[in-house]
Amino acid sequence: MTQTIALLGHPVAHSISPAFQQAALDALGVEARYEAWDTPPGDVPDALERLRDPALLGANVTVPHKLEALRLADSADAVARRIGAANTLVRREDGVLHATNTDVAGVQRALADASVALEGVEVVLIGAGGAARAVVAALRNGGARSLTVANRTPERAEALHEVAEEGDAPPLELRVCPLDVAAGPLRAALERAALVIHSTSLGMRHGPDEAATPLPADCFSPGQAAFDLVYTPERTPFLHAAGAAGARPIGGLGMLVHQGAESFRLWTGLEPPLEVMFEAARAALAARQGVARESKS
Ligand code: NAP
């Protein structure tokens, strides 16, 4: 029987997950299809019922359904509960749906691939949405010393204390400061930071602020690592600014592929073919950019 893995989100047509997940399934000869299910708000309970069918292995969950998926799943691991969101559902025996969050592993592996050490370092994080919660958990797991968070809406940054302080690992010292590069606290934190992370949607291709970066080049210094969660374009305005100042730019594609690889491992029980997944992800992004250029000309 050909099995199915679904991607639940709205919209999902832009996602490159089907391209690299299907490439991985095909490379290992797994008889399964990875399908994007566009799931408008309100349809999530029905979609989860469909996932209970024995023909389903599980699902990825993306914006805006990660919170609801966690709430509706039958069980959840500590990572998903700590973050308050699920990006992966695994169908277990008798149709039981188990929720987890592989974004945390995605952040950790992407930074490890780029040889960024977290133990004892000071970090600045710009943004405090859903993805930022996974970043905070990853920094804590990696033993980072302190984190300064700046976000347009300060209350959301304050809410990250829950992730920084809950659980068994030693707490991560977290400070919140205004998202104002002219002000002292953010400047001072940036000067001390070994790693600067961007997790807002600024600079995302086809987003409302495609050309924007929250930090100009004079906020970075040589030797710093600058990690942007945005993965399209490959060189975002944030990464461009970081590179211009001599910092080391790290794009978001590594996180995307690694979170998907961890989900793949959970659905199939197989070692994910990372090289195949990265190659297919890059090809899918390049194809999408080609289509976008054609439609503009
Ligand atoms: P989200 O929950 O919607 O949060 C969006 C964040 O962007 C919030 O911090 C928001 O600030 C900020 N923001 C939006 N517009 C802004 C503006 N004009 N000026 C300043 N800040 C602004 O989204 P998310 O899930 O955290 O995702 C954030 C980004 O990470 C997206 O670009 C997404 O594609 C990327 N991402 C990448 C991966 C990966 O695997 N590489 C995984 C997940 C997400 P407020 O709180 O003030 O609204």
Side-chain angles (χ1 to χ4, degrees):
M1 170 176 62
T2 301
Q3 294 198 281
T4 301
I5 300 165
L7 169 65
L8 312 185
H10 185 69
V12 283
H14 66 285
S15 174
I16 62 166
S17 290
F20 71 78
Q21 292 288 7
Q22 193 61 53
L25 292 165
D26 295 347
L28 299 191
V30 180
E31 212 185 306
R33 300 289 312 158
Y34 186 100
E35 293 177 355
W37 293 1
D38 195 336
T39 310
D43 288 0
V44 180
D46 284 350
L48 259 65
E49 280 313 306
R50 284 176 71 192
L51 290 178
R52 296 183 192 282
D53 189 284
L56 271 290
L57 289 173
N60 272 139
V61 184
T62 186
V63 177
H65 301 322
K66 291 184 180 185
L67 276 68
E68 194 175 1
L70 175 65
R71 193 165 50 77
L72 295 175
D74 303 306
S75 62
D77 67 4
V79 184
R81 285 200 305 271
R82 188 157 137 215
I83 294 169
N87 79 332
T88 303
L89 295 169
V90 180
R91 184 195 174 279
R92 291 183 169 171
E93 254 174 64
D94 300 327
V96 166
L97 296 179
H98 180 73
T100 185
N101 193 310
T102 62
D103 281 338
V104 181
V107 173
Q108 287 181 239
R109 302 236 158 92
L111 291 174
D113 276 0
S115 303
V116 176
L118 293 178
E119 186 76 46
V121 301
E122 298 197 30
V123 183
V124 168
L125 170 63
I126 309 295
R133 297 178 76 84
V135 168
V136 174
L139 294 176
R140 189 171 163 192
N141 290 347
R145 177 147 59 95
S146 73
L147 173 65
T148 302
V149 185
N151 190 50
R152 182 178 60 178
T153 310
E155 296 76 24
R156 278 185 104 184
E158 293 289 354
L160 294 177
H161 277 288
E162 301 161 12
V163 186
E165 284 152 25
E166 200 187 287
D168 299 330
L172 170 67
E173 187 190 319
L174 187 145
R175 285 182 230 104
V176 171
C177 73
L179 180 50
D180 177 0
V181 286
L186 183 53
R187 277 275 164 192
L190 284 163
E191 275 165 23
R192 290 192 310 267
L195 171 63
V196 183
I197 303 179
H198 175 229
S199 80
T200 82
S201 42
L202 294 178
M204 200 166 67
R205 180 165 280 142
H206 306 313
D209 299 292
E210 222 174 314
T213 168
L215 301 180
D218 68 2
C219 290
F220 298 92
S221 40
Q224 254 174 353
F227 176 37
D228 198 341
L229 267 61
V230 176
Y231 57 85
T232 176
E234 205 174 335
R235 190 82 159 178
T236 61
F238 172 87
L239 295 179
H240 191 79
R248 195 153 61 85
I250 303 161
L253 191 67
M255 174 183 169
L256 182 76
V257 172
H258 279 296
Q259 62 77 32
E262 280 313 296
S263 303
F264 182 96
R265 192 195 303 279
L266 295 169
W267 299 316
T268 64
L270 299 171
E271 192 58 32
L274 279 172
E275 264 180 48
V276 169
M277 296 174 99
F278 270 104
E279 197 181 319
R282 288 199 184 97
L285 276 183
R288 218 168 67 179
Q289 283 158 25
V291 169
R293 265 196 302 274
E294 270 171 30
S295 62
K296 271 187 186 168
S297 58

